[in-house]
Amino acid sequence: MTVNDVTSEDAIQRWLPFRAQTGAAADALALFCLPHAGGGASAYRAWQHRLPGVAVLPVQPAGRENRLREPPYERMTPLVADLADVILAEVSGGRRYAVYGHSLGALVSFELLREIRRRGGPAPVHLFVSGCVAPHRSFDDGPPVRGMSSSELVELLRKLGGTPDWLLNDPSVLEMILPAMQADFSVKETYTYYPEPPLDVPITALPSTDDPRAGRELVAAWREQTTGRFDLHTYVGGHFAVFEQAKLTYKHVSEALRAWV
């Protein structure tokens, strides 16, 4: 995609499909929310109208939901380059913003902010990360997902939770969702961390006690990626605890953004 393609009004609407349903003022602080591998913008739709003074803007990667017919990204660099175009277009008038990413979405959020910094763009007021090991820490989370068969991938999704059984048991649905899932894991598994100075952005990390892919200690290492304030709030639960305990998540996010709304 060219920059003009990515930042046209139509393209921005594809990336931010629920922008018109925020229920917040046009100049309200924007919270861009990036989903987990295989997930879409709808994962965050329930967050809209739950954070006073904040316009929750779920991000829709290609290859799912309203963008099902678009080829999904398989590498980090083009993904964050195109997404940076969208975010910078949305905040070009000086609008303040924050970013939330879960699992793969957290890693993409981190590289997105480094890309925006390289371009000289405005930094967000806060970064929230959950379900994701700090980018500079190595962690063996098992065999590469992009090489798995469909049945192996379905079994992995069952172990992680967060995907309804009726989806996993429907071959026609799996045919639609597995390509995006495999592409997303390709983004993660081909990712290489390159050292850069820490972000000058406060970070809140939200680990869970029983997350098999992101233990608390490795999530806590996000503190090394900021020169600003770092907060850590641990959930009792698994990989998707921040969604299953949504009221607690709203509390942590609202408290972190209070000074900006």
Side-chain angles (χ1 to χ4, degrees):
M1 291 185 183
T2 67
V3 171
N4 287 337
D5 289 336
V6 172
T7 56
S8 70
E9 183 61 28
D10 178 65
I12 291 174
Q13 183 60 38
R14 293 199 305 272
W15 280 94
L16 305 173
F18 305 131
R19 187 171 52 155
Q21 290 84 44
T22 63
D27 61 348
L29 186 145
L31 177 63
F32 298 100
C33 298
L34 281 68
H36 54 282
S42 61
Y44 293 100
R45 191 167 190 181
W47 292 27
Q48 293 188 311
H49 315 290
R50 298 293 191 275
L51 303 173
V54 176
V56 175
L57 295 171
V59 171
Q60 188 74 283
R64 68 219 71 202
E65 298 180 0
N66 64 299
R67 304 184 68 186
L68 184 62
R69 296 186 179 183
E70 298 180 49
Y73 293 88
E74 296 184 350
R75 297 292 186 273
M76 181 70 75
T77 298
L79 170 56
V80 297
D82 286 350
L83 184 53
D85 290 333
V86 173
I87 302 303
L88 290 173
E90 278 293 291
V91 303
S92 61
R95 186 180 189 182
R96 291 175 301 205
Y97 73 102
V99 179
Y100 188 110
H102 180 69
S103 196
L104 173 65
L107 191 61
V108 175
S109 296
F110 172 70
E111 286 299 331
L112 167 68
L113 298 192
R114 300 215 294 183
E115 173 65 14
I116 289 174
R117 180 174 63 180
R118 286 190 288 268
R119 298 187 190 188
V125 301
H126 210 95
L127 170 62
F128 301 90
V129 295
S130 57
C132 183
V133 173
H136 60 288
R137 297 292 295 270
S138 60
F139 174 62
D140 181 8
D141 53 8
V145 173
R146 57 195 170 114
M148 288 184 177
S149 66
S150 295
S151 60
E152 290 172 327
L153 184 50
V154 168
E155 184 59 29
L156 173 62
L157 295 178
R158 291 189 194 281
K159 290 179 180 179
L160 288 176
T163 305
D165 280 341
W166 70 267
L167 289 179
L168 299 178
N169 293 329
D170 188 328
S172 63
V173 173
L174 289 176
E175 187 177 352
M176 289 190 293
I177 68 173
L178 290 186
M181 174 73 70
Q182 291 168 324
D184 285 354
F185 273 103
S186 181
V187 170
K188 179 179 183 294
E189 292 167 356
T190 59
Y191 169 75
T192 299
Y193 170 78
Y194 294 103
E196 291 183 17
L199 297 169
D200 186 19
V201 176
I203 295 178
T204 294
L206 305 170
S208 300
T209 55
D210 301 309
D211 187 340
R213 300 183 74 87
R216 184 180 184 279
E217 179 184 350
L218 293 173
V219 176
W222 278 95
R223 72 174 66 249
E224 298 169 40
Q225 292 295 340
T226 178
T227 60
R229 176 168 176 161
F230 179 81
D231 291 298
L232 185 76
H233 303 292
T234 304
Y235 289 65
V236 176
H239 189 64
F240 291 98
V242 292
F243 296 100
E244 296 161 352
Q245 301 172 44
K247 289 184 179 179
L248 182 57
T249 305
Y250 303 153
K251 176 178 178 290
H252 292 319
V253 173
S254 293
E255 288 178 350
L257 297 179
R258 182 175 298 157
W260 302 99
V261 300

